[in-house]
């Protein structure tokens, strides 16, 4: 489901015009972005958690030329499904800010915000892919059953197949999140430069880490904590509200 299809379906469900729906979705994303820029974690109950993390500076090596480059630190947006809520910016905070910004009553604002994330889940279940302009792209990947190893006992066991979500932030969102570190630049290192306690990686590994949740292998592997982040059900949503008039 691309962004145009997403807006169209959301408009149909809430009987809003495409223009009103686009403005409301943009406002929700703008509220989330501001909270993330302020250092807050945004948790959507039943959907997941968006959080900004700092990636430390690292040395990248070009595998062809062996040239070393110092990659500067940056801030990246991460997403994990099915979050456990604690002291975070929750969906209720977003609802209240949206209602205040557009003069909506809280019932309509609540229905719309929840409708956004319900539609993302439904689109993932049916189409395995959904793109929301300004937020990013979600993909649902089927992970096959595989053999794993208990790190404590060495015992082998089977991990059942499951679905896993990957999230790639929209370019605009990535740039806004990383704005405090945007002035840093990559530096080419000479052969004599030594930096202790700096991670070393082959060129391209960083991009692979950010955009790929998991690679399926036929060989045994160690069970990772991330394997618990799966979607087991997809909620449905029905609403009957009137179009907003104050955008």
């Amino acid at each position: 489901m691309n962004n145009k299809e997403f807006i169209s379906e959301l408009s149909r469900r809430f009987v809003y015009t495409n223009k009103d729906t686009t403005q409301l979705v943009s406002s929700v994303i703008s509220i989330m972005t501001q909270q993330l820029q302020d250092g807050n974690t945004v948790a959507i109950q039943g959907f997941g958690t968006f959080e900004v993390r700092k990636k430390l500076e690292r040395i990248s090596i070009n595998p062809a030329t062996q040239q070393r480059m110092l990659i500067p630190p940056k801030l990246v947006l991460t997403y994990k499904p099915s979050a456990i809520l604690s002291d975070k910016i929750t969906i209720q905070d977003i609802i209240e800010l949206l209602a205040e910004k557009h003069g909506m009553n809280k019932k309509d604002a609540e229905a719309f915000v929840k409708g956004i994330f319900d539609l993302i889940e439904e689109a993932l279940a049916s189409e395995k892919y959904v793109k929301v302009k300004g937020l990013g792209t979600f993909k649902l990947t089927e992970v096959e059953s595989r053999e794993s190893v208990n790190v404590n006992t060495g015992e082998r066991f089977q991990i059942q197949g499951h679905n896993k979500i990957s999230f790639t932030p929209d370019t605009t969102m990535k740039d806004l999140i990383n704005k405090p570190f945007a002035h840093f630049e990559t530096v080419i290192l000479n052969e004599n430069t030594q930096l202790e306690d700096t991670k070393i990686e082959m060129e391209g590994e960083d991009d692979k880490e950010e955009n790929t949740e998991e690679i399926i292998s036929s060989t045994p592997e160690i069970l990772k904590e991330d394997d618990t982040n799966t979607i087991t059900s997809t909620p449905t949503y029905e609403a009957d509200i009137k179009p907003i008039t104050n955008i």
Side-chain angles (χ1 to χ4, degrees):
M1 177 179 282
N2 58 35
N3 184 72
K4 183 177 179 180
E5 294 168 333
F6 181 83
I7 294 297
S8 179
E9 175 60 19
L10 205 58
S11 300
R12 184 191 67 79
R13 294 187 180 195
F14 289 93
V15 201
Y16 291 170
T17 65
N18 282 356
K19 181 180 179 181
D20 285 352
T21 301
T22 299
Q23 289 180 344
L24 286 173
V25 170
S26 295
S27 291
V28 171
I29 295 171
S30 176
I31 291 167
M32 292 174 60
T33 302
Q34 185 60 59
Q35 295 300 328
L36 290 164
Q37 286 182 293
D38 290 344
N40 298 314
T41 296
V42 176
I44 309 299
Q45 189 169 18
F47 182 79
T49 299
F50 295 90
E51 185 176 13
V52 176
R53 294 182 182 177
K54 180 181 178 181
K55 291 185 70 69
L56 299 176
E57 67 177 5
R58 59 211 176 278
I59 297 173
S60 178
I61 302 176
N62 186 309
T65 65
Q66 295 301 305
Q67 184 180 60
R68 299 187 308 150
M69 294 173 288
L70 181 63
I71 308 298
K74 64 178 178 179
L75 300 175
V76 297
L77 177 61
T78 64
Y79 164 75
K80 281 193 174 183
S82 304
I84 298 175
L85 306 187
S86 55
D87 294 331
K88 304 170 182 177
I89 299 299
T90 66
I91 191 171
Q92 194 58 44
D93 299 304
I94 297 174
I95 289 167
E96 292 178 0
L97 289 169
L98 181 68
E100 180 180 351
K101 182 173 183 178
H102 289 282
M104 302 170 67
N105 65 60
K106 290 186 178 180
K107 182 179 179 181
D108 288 356
E110 179 178 8
F112 187 83
V113 173
K114 289 183 177 179
I116 290 175
F117 297 102
D118 286 347
L119 179 55
I120 291 174
E121 288 193 339
E122 292 175 28
L124 282 173
S126 61
E127 302 184 31
K128 314 296 184 186
Y129 160 91
V130 58
K131 182 176 182 179
V132 183
K133 184 178 180 181
L135 181 58
T137 302
F138 298 85
K139 291 183 179 179
L140 185 65
T141 305
E142 294 183 2
V143 181
E144 297 178 353
S145 299
R146 64 192 187 279
E147 190 178 45
S148 188
V149 179
N150 186 307
V151 293
N152 296 317
T153 66
E155 180 182 0
R156 296 173 182 269
F157 62 95
Q158 193 76 9
I159 297 178
Q160 297 300 315
H162 57 271
N163 292 330
K164 196 165 189 178
I165 295 178
S166 63
F167 171 68
T168 304
D170 184 272
T171 300
T172 301
M173 172 77 84
K174 288 172 65 175
D175 291 343
L176 287 171
I177 293 300
N178 192 50
K179 190 175 181 179
F181 287 178
H183 60 285
F184 290 119
E185 297 181 353
T186 298
V187 177
I188 297 177
L189 301 175
N190 60 48
E191 295 180 358
N192 298 322
T193 302
Q194 300 296 327
L195 299 175
E196 296 183 0
D197 301 324
T198 301
K199 179 182 176 182
I200 299 177
E201 61 185 28
M202 299 305 291
E203 186 176 331
E205 285 184 1
D206 181 53
D207 294 334
K208 181 178 177 182
E209 179 184 340
E210 287 185 28
N211 296 310
T212 305
E213 290 258 342
E214 181 178 88
I215 293 178
I216 301 171
S217 172
S218 58
T219 57
E221 59 182 279
I222 303 300
L223 178 63
K224 300 176 182 178
E225 182 180 353
D226 284 349
D227 289 329
T228 59
N229 293 327
T230 62
I231 289 183
T232 56
S233 62
T234 303
T236 57
Y237 177 79
E238 295 181 359
D240 182 19
I241 60 177
K242 298 179 181 179
I244 56 174
T245 57
N246 186 14
I247 296 282

